[in-house]
Amino acid sequence: MKISVLTIFPEMVEVIKKYGVISRAVQENKIEISIFNLRDFTSDKHRTVDDYPFGGGPGMVMKPEPFFKFYDFYVKTFGKPHTILTSPQGRTFNNDLVKELSLKENLLIICGRYEGIDERVMEIVDDEISIGDYVLTGGELPAMVMIDAISRFVPGIISEESVIEESFNTGLLDHPHYTRPREFNGKKVPEVLLEGNHEKIEIWRRKMSLKKTIQRRPDLFLKKEFDEVDKKALLELFRELIN
Ligand SMILES: Nc1nonc1C(=O)N[C@H]1C[C@@H]1c1ccc(S(N)(=O)=O)cc1
């Protein structure tokens, strides 16, 4: 999978290739991340990417020409991508969208800045996506969030078991995790995790996930289709409530 980013701050986005799981995935050629500087596609000596808005108003607007010059270069060099614009006006980035985008072979993420981008650039945009209902100073952090989340779904980057178990794939929030020492600051690791009974551990973890989801994200709980483990866990939760 190739993920490309078009930005006026390439150094900001380059960082994502240097650390952790994403760095290893790039080194193992599981994903290719290319970052392009929009200013390299300007035609004036000042490498201008913005101008005053027609009709007046605050701030500056990103000029259309550099985007089209880049896009022509990109399509000729790498083929036609699925092009995303990060923006508060987009559809909300969530797990379903992560899975959908992780299946694309050639993804291009355009990072907005300033007051916005000239509307004619939307001609090359397939998808406008927002990482949340708030306004940032730039689209680079949203692009990095998307790269991180999407890369996790590319085969071979995260273990199949982890992806299957994780929140939003199970439809529940995650259960608590513990490691050594068995007691820390007077707090002990739950006994059930030390007994080696895998069925009991699975039920306990699912109980904790169900409890946390009911408390914090009842919307997720109400959408959930319950499997056999869910039902056993819910039964134990109800019994604890009743007794
Ligand atoms: N949230 C987000 N999810 O992805 N990108 C997000 C984001 O805030 N990007 C901002 C830099 C760009 C931007 C675009 C448009 C406007 S405007 N004039 O429409 O208010 C303001 C800011």
Side-chain angles (χ1 to χ4, degrees):
M1 175 180 202
K2 180 173 179 62
I3 304 177
S4 298
V5 181
L6 180 62
T7 167
I8 59 169
F9 295 127
E11 305 88 344
M12 185 174 170
V13 185
E14 283 288 350
V15 166
I16 196 158
K17 294 162 66 173
K18 290 172 66 176
Y19 302 98
V21 168
I22 308 291
S23 169
R24 195 172 72 239
V26 169
Q27 284 160 17
E28 294 171 0
N29 295 315
K30 291 195 174 86
I31 48 171
E32 182 189 358
I33 299 176
S34 305
I35 296 156
F36 299 91
N37 186 341
L38 183 65
R39 292 194 191 279
D40 293 341
F41 299 88
T42 54
S43 317
D44 65 311
K45 66 176 180 176
H46 300 297
R47 294 161 60 87
T48 311
V49 293
D50 64 313
D51 204 340
Y52 295 98
F54 277 123
M60 303 292 275
V61 174
M62 299 186 84
K63 295 166 58 63
E65 302 98 319
F67 289 98
F68 282 86
K69 192 172 176 193
F70 165 78
Y71 191 74
D72 290 346
F73 150 77
Y74 190 91
V75 171
K76 284 190 185 101
T77 313
F78 303 109
K80 190 182 182 311
H82 181 77
T83 304
I84 295 166
L85 169 65
T86 62
S87 134
Q89 277 75 40
R91 58 178 173 144
T92 303
F93 191 59
N94 60 23
N95 208 51
D96 292 339
L97 193 42
V98 170
K99 289 184 203 170
E100 178 190 323
L101 294 172
S102 71
L103 302 174
K104 305 287 184 188
E105 266 315 303
N106 183 354
L107 216 46
L108 169 62
I109 305 175
I110 295 177
C111 302
R113 282 248 153 204
Y114 303 96
E115 268 309 293
I117 297 178
D118 184 287
E119 189 63 18
R120 287 163 289 190
V121 175
M122 295 310 287
E123 182 186 315
I124 61 171
V125 171
D126 300 302
D127 227 334
E128 206 168 345
I129 299 177
S130 169
I131 62 166
D133 292 340
Y134 37 80
V135 177
L136 302 167
T137 56
E140 285 76 13
L141 288 175
M144 294 165 82
V145 165
M146 291 176 195
I147 292 170
D148 191 298
I150 291 165
S151 299
R152 297 181 74 256
F153 270 81
V154 174
I157 292 185
I158 300 284
S159 77
E160 197 64 32
E161 188 188 10
S162 304
V163 171
I164 290 167
E165 271 196 14
E166 68 189 12
S167 294
F168 304 107
N169 281 330
T170 61
L172 297 172
L173 300 185
D174 202 5
H175 56 73
H177 297 270
Y178 292 89
T179 186
R180 287 180 293 187
R182 287 182 175 220
E183 181 167 344
F184 178 73
N185 276 3
K187 290 190 175 67
K188 292 183 178 176
V189 172
E191 207 52 43
V192 65
L193 299 179
L194 308 174
E195 294 162 354
N197 180 325
H198 295 293
E199 189 188 355
K200 275 189 172 182
I201 291 169
E202 186 183 30
I203 298 286
W204 180 85
R205 285 175 167 168
R206 191 63 60 85
K207 262 192 338 186
M208 295 302 108
S209 288
L210 285 160
K211 201 169 168 185
K212 192 183 287 185
T213 308
I214 291 166
Q215 287 167 335
R216 299 184 189 177
R217 291 293 305 274
D219 58 305
L220 289 179
F221 178 76
L222 293 172
K223 278 191 289 192
K224 172 90 178 126
E225 287 180 19
F226 299 120
D227 62 24
E228 288 313 303
V229 178
D230 292 322
K231 290 172 188 170
K232 286 178 183 170
L234 281 167
L235 209 50
E236 283 199 19
L237 274 175
F238 292 144
R239 283 191 179 127
E240 286 164 17
L241 270 176
I242 293 167
N243 297 337

